[in-house]
Structure formats: C-alpha cells, structure tokens
Amino acid sequence: MADVLPLVEARLRTALGEPDARAAVTFLGADRVEVLRFREGDIVRYATLGMSAQPMSDPTAVLADPVKGPRAELLLSVRPGDADTDKVLRPLAVLAASPQVEGVVVAPGASLDVGGPLWPGAPFTSVLVAEPGGLVEDLDLDEPLDPVRFLPLLPMTPNEAAWKRVHGAQALQERWLTNGTDLRDPSRGSVPLD
C-alpha cells in the first residue's frame, strides 16, 4: 500500500504552492506531525502533514482498523499582521495528533480546544472544524482507503465556543456571516451573541 503522506504533500503543494517553512513535532505514542506554512499575499496558511498517515477510528471500537476509516489534515488561514501566528505550530500539531493520542474522530462541526491561546495573545482557545473542499480538494486514495479530507479550522473565542455548544456549529457560522466577521483576523473580537 502506498505511503499516503507524499501524496498529501503533493496535493497541498498543488493547491497552495511551495511552503516557505515547516516544523515537526513528535508526541509520545504518536507518529510525527509536521506543520507547513504557505504564504499567499497577506494570508498565511498552516497545513498539518501526518494526521492522515493513519485512519481515524471510532473511539468505542475494540480494535482500530489499520486501513478503513476517515483521514484528514487540518488547515488554518490567518492574516498575520502584528500577531505572532507562527507560534500556532505546536497547538496545530497537538490537534492533528489527537486522533492517535485520544482516539477522537475529527469531523466538520466539531470543536477542538487547545487549552490556551492558539498563539501568544490570541483571543482564541479553540477552533471550529469547517466543511472541506473549498481550498484544497479531497485526495482520493486507492481502495479500500478512504479519501484524505483537508479540514479548514475557524478560530473561536471562548464565548463563541460556549455559544456553539448550545446553538450548534451552523448557527455560529450564520452569526459570523450575518455580522461580516473576518475569520482570518488574528485579533478579532467575539461576534455579537445576544
């Protein structure tokens, strides 16, 4: 069976260009996760590479299937400005390792909490996993492997995360849209939630 990661990196390069930086993080009991940085005008995109090496498995399953199961990588787009967004590398790698370490399946609509600011001074401590397919198309793999999905991450303030738990992901996304929220602004405040 072909190694998935070179195919994933090729798809990222095709969609986003050449990365201008990369960092690797290894966690005890998990495979290495890299985070690649791509620049496009005034937007910086961070993409994980390594999460899709193994399929995510149902945390209630007795044995993890080594072949079948959803595969994904994470994408975060920000307008860096004065924020030190490059410090997001470790939190992103932690999120990408969570399926292996914690046995979670990361899917659209989920909230992922990093337990602290995404980068120093960031008003965000969690992200909303958005629907794939916009920025980087799914990568189809040979049967019986599931395709790799590239899941955009939308930073959430603690208030937005709490509101989302009550009202749902779709309601929060509609609130952002209605208010013209710039989700790439690294220092934006919480959307009005009353």
Side-chain angles (χ1 to χ4, degrees), residues 142-189:
D142 294 337
E143 290 290 336
L145 302 180
D146 287 17
V148 177
R149 302 172 84 197
F150 297 88
L151 302 172
L153 301 179
L154 308 175
M156 292 189 294
T157 66
N159 286 345
E160 290 170 337
W163 197 86
K164 182 256 177 196
R165 280 192 293 278
V166 174
H167 300 281
Q170 184 64 39
L172 179 59
Q173 289 178 305
E174 287 171 10
R175 183 64 57 114
W176 282 335
L177 192 59
T178 301
N179 286 277
T181 306
D182 181 1
L183 296 173
R184 295 176 179 165
D185 180 352
S187 56
R188 73 171 179 85

Side-chain angles (χ1 to χ4, degrees), residues 122-144:
F124 317 108
T125 57
S126 61
V127 293
L128 174 65
V129 181
E131 291 291 333
L135 190 60
V136 182
E137 290 182 25
D138 291 354
L139 172 64
D140 290 326
L141 301 173
D142 294 337
E143 290 290 336

